[in-house]
Amino acid sequence: MTRPQRFIDDEGKRLDGRKPDEIRPVKMQVGVLSNADGSALVEYGLTKVLAAVYGPKESQKSISLPDRASLRVRYHMAPFSTEERKNPAPSRREVELSKVLRESLEPIVITDYFPRTSIDIFIEVLQSDGGTRTVGATAASLALADAGIPMKALVAGVAIGKVDNVLIVDLNEVEDMYGDADMPIVAAPDLGQITLYQLNGVLSKEEFHNAIDMAMKVINKLVDIEKETLRNSYKEAGEE
Ligand code: ADP
């Protein structure tokens, strides 16, 4: 992958034809796996992430909490998810992402309903083209709801970046790799809460405020699509 000379053309369009504030085509499905308690497949463009949830189930003593369920998250990239085969062993990056994704999901799960249990969330990147942590958070939120786990709200994620001095939403891999900033955000609009915030690169104060506004607009839309996806899955279940 080489660095493009320009990221935005004279008409203000990005390399893949999107406007700066346009997200990639989004697809969401729930109940895609029969053996997990809840599951979801989410795509933003070419990035595809599967999430599976098991639990709440009685937890091992070592991780058991007396007043609430413990959430365990594993973020993993499948060996076939990248252009070159990825080593299937968990990398430092995957261990760290598992931690920050757990922290991004903890505020939405009503864990005190289920003391001494664990809820396991597996986030498996099937195809990566930028934004896998944010797509992963969206998929995990849907899979938790699909598992019937009581939640305060849903979260969704998107990354904001900067290329050619323009703020853009939902970076693909080229924009992520060669752009000037990468700011992934996960938020629960119904709680007014940002649950994951990271920033690689430098933004001015004004850019930072604009970037948060851009992210929240997209996250609101994504959460609406999540709700619609869940409603449709109940309708389908009712029709069976
Ligand atoms: P995110 O996927 O959340 O944007 P990064 O910013 O770390 O996370 O990664 C950006 C993109 O770089 C990923 O979406 C993926 O397309 C690519 N990438 C990350 N890690 C690897 C890897 N180990 N091998 C190949 N490509 C990778």
Side-chain angles (χ1 to χ4, degrees), residues 77 82 86 93 128-133 173 176 182:
M77 286 177 113
T82 50
K86 187 206 148 276
R93 173 180 171 276
S128 76
D129 185 31
T132 61
R133 76 194 66 194
E173 187 169 316
D176 180 305
D182 171 22

Side-chain angles (χ1 to χ4, degrees), residues 29-33 38-42 49-52 138-143 146:
Q29 269 177 279
V30 289
V32 293
L33 301 173
S39 58
L41 178 62
V42 175
V49 182
L50 181 70
T138 305
S141 167
L142 269 178
D146 183 53

Side-chain angles (χ1 to χ4, degrees), residues 71-75 97-99 101-103 105 119-123:
L71 226 60
R72 293 194 295 187
V73 174
R74 188 189 77 154
Y75 161 99
L97 281 185
S98 300
K99 175 185 178 282
L101 283 166
R102 172 170 55 73
E103 290 166 351
L105 298 165
I119 298 171
D120 288 343
I121 305 167
F122 295 95
I123 297 171

Side-chain angles (χ1 to χ4, degrees), residues 20-167:
D21 60 354
E22 194 177 333
I23 189 169
R24 291 173 283 185
V26 172
K27 283 193 201 158
M28 298 189 192
Q29 269 177 279
V30 289
V32 293
L33 301 173
S34 53
N35 289 342
D37 294 321
S39 58
L41 178 62
V42 175
E43 303 175 27
Y44 297 4
L46 294 176
T47 294
K48 293 187 190 192
V49 182
L50 181 70
V53 168
Y54 290 87
K57 58 182 192 314
E58 198 175 337
S59 62
Q60 298 156 355
K61 274 222 175 70
S62 57
I63 59 154
S64 169
L65 300 170
D67 57 343
R68 63 198 147 96
S70 44
L71 226 60
R72 293 194 295 187
V73 174
R74 188 189 77 154
Y75 161 99
H76 182 250
M77 286 177 113
F80 50 80
S81 66
T82 50
E83 227 168 86
E84 290 205 7
R85 174 187 177 274
K86 187 206 148 276
N87 184 336
S91 62
R92 224 190 92 123
R93 173 180 171 276
E94 287 166 301
V95 174
E96 184 199 323
L97 281 185
S98 300
K99 175 185 178 282
V100 297
L101 283 166
R102 172 170 55 73
E103 290 166 351
S104 81
L105 298 165
E106 261 166 354
I108 58 169
V109 180
I110 309 181
T111 50
D112 47 7
Y113 280 4
F114 306 102
R116 298 184 200 286
T117 67
S118 59
I119 298 171
D120 288 343
I121 305 167
F122 295 95
I123 297 171
E124 191 72 18
V125 178
L126 302 181
Q127 189 164 277
S128 76
D129 185 31
T132 61
R133 76 194 66 194
T134 52
V135 183
T138 305
S141 167
L142 269 178
L144 283 163
D146 183 53
I149 290 173
M151 293 159 79
K152 293 182 207 156
L154 295 165
V155 286
V158 77
I160 308 293
K162 187 168 89 168
V163 291
D164 299 348
N165 266 319
V166 177
L167 291 177

